[in-house]
Amino acid sequence: MAPSPRSGRARRALLTAFVTASVALPVSGAARPAVVPAPAPAAVAPLDSAGSSALKARYAAGRAEIRAARDMAARHGDRRRATALTAMARPGRTFLMFDGRDGGRGVEVLGDLSRARRIAVLVPGAGVDLDHYGRLRRGAGALLDELGSGSAVVAWLGYRTPAMLSPAAMTPGRADEAAPALRSFVRELSAAKPSARVSLLCHSYGSVVCARAASGLEVADLVLYGSPGTGAGSAAALHTRATVRAGLGGDDWIARVPHVAVPLPYGTAGFGTDPVTPEFGAEVFDAGGAGHSGYLEPGSVSLRSIAGIVAGTAGGGHA
């Protein structure tokens, strides 16, 4: 069957965006500060238990890594990074892992993981790194407040996210790199907390990461929001026993991004089927009027919907 005119227009629009990003990336990259050096982190013992002693050891190791990265940033002369890392190392902040190299990676726990009956793992999208970590943590905090006691939220910045305006944000390469780490972390978490209900919350490009990692994971829900597509044609193609849910805010610009996958000589640009469409087959939740970065805003419809999913009280059917 010949492609429809609408499909052809969408493909041309995506290719135009891809070429624009390819040209713009060197310009935007040139304006960024030099990469801030950080030490290679030490290996940590697996989290085979979520008891208080095991968690305290992991949190102490994470704090030590943050302080080492802070000291190196200070010696490098980057006071902004050093100040941010000083805040991350404060008492009460709890990181299961930290790596300050190459934009930064970290896994921070909000709430009491040892007692949590419900655990949400937030997987961020493009543009989130150590210098833009605050918005990920604010969203995690808002979700924890909405969930209340008996819950924990994990901000999983466990991969090298692509820049917002870059070819990497339109191709699956970074997601392919990230998927093994996410899969390993979720399995570690599930083994440490076998009775807890675990939900993966996947924002924007993070939905591509989650899709790559989904097969075989023992999670209750796979929640895709603000998604450019997943690279899969349907929820069934994700090969997960989790309930796949999708939401799109009324003010989210991602709705205007063509949901097509365009073959290129060295890969594919775009991620195909929109997860909120009937043909994808996800359970669609009410995201209200959320903008692309506003799904976890306090008081929002989208936050209430997502908290209901994590708590296991959300209803819904196939769109």
Side-chain angles (χ1 to χ4, degrees), residues 50-52 55 111-119 149-152 193 196:
S52 59
L55 285 173
D112 187 348
L113 186 59
S114 67
R115 299 183 179 185
R117 301 184 303 275
R118 300 172 295 272
I119 303 170
S149 62
S151 304
K193 294 286 298 181

Side-chain angles (χ1 to χ4, degrees), residues 12-277:
R12 286 194 295 273
L14 184 63
L15 284 172
T16 298
F18 187 85
V19 171
T20 301
S22 299
V23 173
L25 178 62
V27 176
S28 62
R32 294 177 189 167
V35 173
V36 182
V44 294
L47 188 65
D48 54 4
S49 164
S52 59
S53 60
L55 285 173
K56 284 178 181 177
R58 282 288 289 267
Y59 294 157
R63 188 170 294 112
E65 297 294 355
I66 296 169
R67 288 171 174 163
R70 175 201 61 195
D71 293 345
M72 189 170 283
R75 289 194 297 270
H76 182 68
D78 193 316
R79 285 185 288 183
R80 177 185 175 190
R81 177 65 63 83
T83 299
L85 294 175
T86 296
M88 288 184 174
R90 286 174 183 159
R93 299 286 294 270
T94 47
F95 283 81
L96 288 169
M97 66 81 65
F98 183 84
D99 183 349
R101 299 172 298 172
D102 194 21
R105 298 169 181 80
V107 178
E108 184 174 12
V109 177
L110 285 77
D112 187 348
L113 186 59
S114 67
R115 299 183 179 185
R117 301 184 303 275
R118 300 172 295 272
I119 303 170
V121 179
L122 302 188
V123 181
V128 180
D129 55 17
L130 287 185
D131 293 329
H132 302 89
Y133 179 74
R135 66 175 181 256
L136 174 62
R137 190 172 192 273
R138 285 190 296 273
L143 179 59
L144 183 65
D145 289 344
E146 188 73 22
L147 287 167
S149 62
S151 304
V153 178
V154 179
W156 188 84
L157 179 56
Y159 76 111
R160 185 169 59 111
T161 61
M164 282 294 292
L165 184 63
S166 71
M170 301 180 188
T171 53
R174 297 288 177 90
D176 290 335
E177 293 174 6
L182 178 59
R183 189 179 296 118
S184 176
F185 173 73
V186 172
R187 286 176 174 164
E188 181 184 18
L189 182 64
S190 297
K193 294 286 298 181
S195 62
R197 175 187 174 87
V198 178
S199 300
L200 270 181
L201 308 184
C202 316
H203 176 240
S204 193
Y205 189 88
S207 63
V208 187
V209 176
C210 289
R212 292 296 199 269
S215 180
L217 289 184
E218 295 295 329
V219 296
D221 299 287
L222 186 67
V223 185
L224 315 170
Y225 53 103
S227 175
T230 64
S234 67
L238 298 177
H239 303 292
T240 177
R241 289 186 290 182
T243 300
V244 181
R245 304 176 188 268
L248 181 65
D251 198 29
D252 191 339
W253 56 261
I254 205 80
R256 299 189 294 276
V257 173
H259 283 83
V260 295
V262 180
L264 300 172
Y266 51 86
T268 302
F271 303 107
T273 309
D274 186 342
V276 299
T277 57

